[in-house]
């Protein structure tokens, strides 16, 4: 029993010495180029999924949990503090809701950088006339990974196990 306890402690120590690796971000030009290729092939939803994932720094898997109601349009009548699109992450709907990595619910991510203003009409189109509980990016499982792999190979990129 004592030996098992010491072995567990040793494993915990090794994990601290060799933490998990992080992904290097793709340059914005590569992301934008991939999205443009998707758009040129009529893959509008896939392109929006990639852009939303990158712009809002989503973790793999977070995109599929977003709902239409997660993307809140600007409320111009509410004043200057509400003139940007907002993404609400990790909604606490019920006891089965999933918190963020840090245990937080209902985080607000505001799209307030000037360079991303071009996305506003596309975001409006994405939520228009759709039920609030519908998936924001409605794709079959594995679809976005497949498209990213295909586009990446055409751009001369190596496949990555960390793709969505």
């Amino acid at each position: 029993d004592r030996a098992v306890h010491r072995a567990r402690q040793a494993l915990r120590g090794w994990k601290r010495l060799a933490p998990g690796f992080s992904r290097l971000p793709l340059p914005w030009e590569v992301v934008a180029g991939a999205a443009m290729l998707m758009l040129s092939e009529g893959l509008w939803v896939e392109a929006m999924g990639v852009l939303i994932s990158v712009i809002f720094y989503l973790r793999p898997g977070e995109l599929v949990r977003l709902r239409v109601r997660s993307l809140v349009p600007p409320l111009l009548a509410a004043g200057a503090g509400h003139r940007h699109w907002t993404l609400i992450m990790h909604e606490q709907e019920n006891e089965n809701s999933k918190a963020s990595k840090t245990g937080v619910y209902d985080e607000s991510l505001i799209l307030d950088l000037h360079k991303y203003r071009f996305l506003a009409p596309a975001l409006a189109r994405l939520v228009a006339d759709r039920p609030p509980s519908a998936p924001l990016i409605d794709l079959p499982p594995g679809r976005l990974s497949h498209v990213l792999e295909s586009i990446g190979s055409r751009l001369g990129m190596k496949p990555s196990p960390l793709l969505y």
Side-chain angles (χ1 to χ4, degrees):
D1 186 44
R2 185 169 170 85
V4 171
H5 175 72
R6 291 179 78 189
R8 281 191 187 135
Q9 281 183 319
L11 282 173
R12 269 185 278 179
W14 278 106
K15 285 181 184 177
R16 284 188 205 121
L17 290 175
F21 60 93
S22 61
R23 300 178 275 167
L24 293 174
L26 290 174
W28 172 247
E29 294 80 7
V30 173
V31 173
M36 289 301 294
L37 274 173
M38 289 177 201
L39 290 171
S40 73
E41 295 177 10
L43 303 173
W44 189 81
V45 175
E46 291 85 343
M48 288 302 296
V50 168
L51 291 172
I52 288 170
S53 294
V54 171
I55 289 170
F56 286 105
Y57 296 98
L58 300 184
R59 296 185 188 303
E62 286 181 330
L63 182 67
V64 297
R65 288 193 294 274
L66 295 175
R67 302 283 165 234
V68 169
R69 70 175 168 264
S70 304
L71 190 57
V72 181
L75 302 170
L76 300 178
H82 302 278
R83 63 178 154 194
H84 304 289
W85 283 88
T86 302
L87 188 66
I88 299 174
M89 301 288 300
H90 312 289
E91 292 181 73
Q92 189 170 10
E93 302 169 31
N94 56 45
E95 64 277 353
N96 295 326
S97 297
K98 187 172 179 179
S100 71
K101 183 178 175 181
T102 58
V104 177
Y105 288 98
D106 300 320
E107 294 176 280
S108 294
L109 304 176
I110 301 171
L111 187 62
D112 58 354
L113 291 178
H114 181 73
K115 71 178 184 177
Y116 297 131
R117 285 193 186 164
F118 75 91
L119 203 54
L123 295 175
R125 177 181 165 195
L126 188 60
V127 299
D129 301 320
R130 296 184 59 210
S133 60
L136 182 62
I137 302 296
D138 196 8
L139 295 171
R143 172 68 181 159
L144 193 52
S145 291
H146 174 73
V147 170
L148 283 169
E149 195 173 296
S150 171
I151 296 288
S153 69
R154 284 189 270 161
L155 292 173
M157 298 172 60
K158 294 179 186 176
S160 169
L162 297 172
L163 292 176
Y164 299 91

